[in-house]
Amino acid sequence: MRTTGHSPGMERAAKSLGKAGNNGAVWLVVGGLLAVFDGSHREAWLICAFLGPVAIALNYVVKAIVRRPRPVLEGLPPLGGAPSSLSFPSAHATSSFAVATAMTRVEPWGALAFVLALTLALGRPYLGMHYPSDVLAGALLGVVLGLIVPLAL
């Protein structure tokens, strides 16, 4: 994925999306906006918003245990930065799939979040930041988190 389908515009888009996914920021914004505009599910949307950063924190526990280094492709440096040199699982995929799964539990149309989640997750190997297996493992971990998180306090 690091060598296929690259253009300056696609790389800029993937980098921007990757930055938006850092620390679950995009999910804080999306969940926060949904909480503002859908008062009948405000608490659940706020839980979804904070699930992104929480999922990233849990992901780092797994990263610290596994300790898999990020990909190194000779002549193809990664096109993004990361706070850690550890790769498995992808924190972007974990947080994105956790929130998308939880949002689907709040409202069926919340499944639209999977479009953003998949796009964000696929951007990680595209940028050379992760192996595809890192993204798959992160997505699976995220789905589990999204299914078990309580949506009410």
Side-chain angles (χ1 to χ4, degrees):
M1 289 180 75
R2 175 62 181 87
T3 61
T4 304
H6 282 259
S7 68
M10 286 292 291
E11 288 180 2
R12 273 193 307 278
K15 287 179 193 178
S16 295
L17 194 55
K19 285 181 183 177
N22 286 346
N23 302 312
V26 68
W27 300 112
L28 275 170
V29 171
V30 170
L33 287 171
L34 288 169
V36 168
F37 292 108
D38 181 10
S40 65
H41 295 99
R42 181 168 287 123
E43 183 179 22
W45 293 129
L46 288 173
I47 290 169
C48 289
F50 287 100
L51 178 58
V54 169
I56 287 180
L58 293 172
N59 177 279
Y60 277 104
V61 172
V62 178
K63 278 186 191 286
I65 294 167
V66 175
R67 307 204 53 79
R68 180 183 194 180
R70 291 191 184 273
V72 176
L73 303 170
E74 191 172 321
L76 289 171
L79 299 175
S84 165
S85 63
L86 302 175
S87 185
F88 183 91
S90 164
H92 283 73
T94 300
S95 64
S96 296
F97 278 82
V99 176
T101 301
M103 286 183 166
T104 302
R105 291 175 51 214
V106 177
E107 282 285 350
W109 53 260
L112 291 171
F114 279 109
V115 174
L116 177 58
L118 184 61
T119 304
L120 206 153
L122 291 177
R124 307 314 288 162
Y126 179 84
L127 293 171
M129 302 299 299
H130 285 284
Y131 296 101
S133 59
D134 299 338
V135 172
L136 180 60
L140 291 174
L141 176 58
V143 167
V144 170
L145 292 173
L147 289 172
I148 66 172
V149 67
L151 295 176
L153 298 177

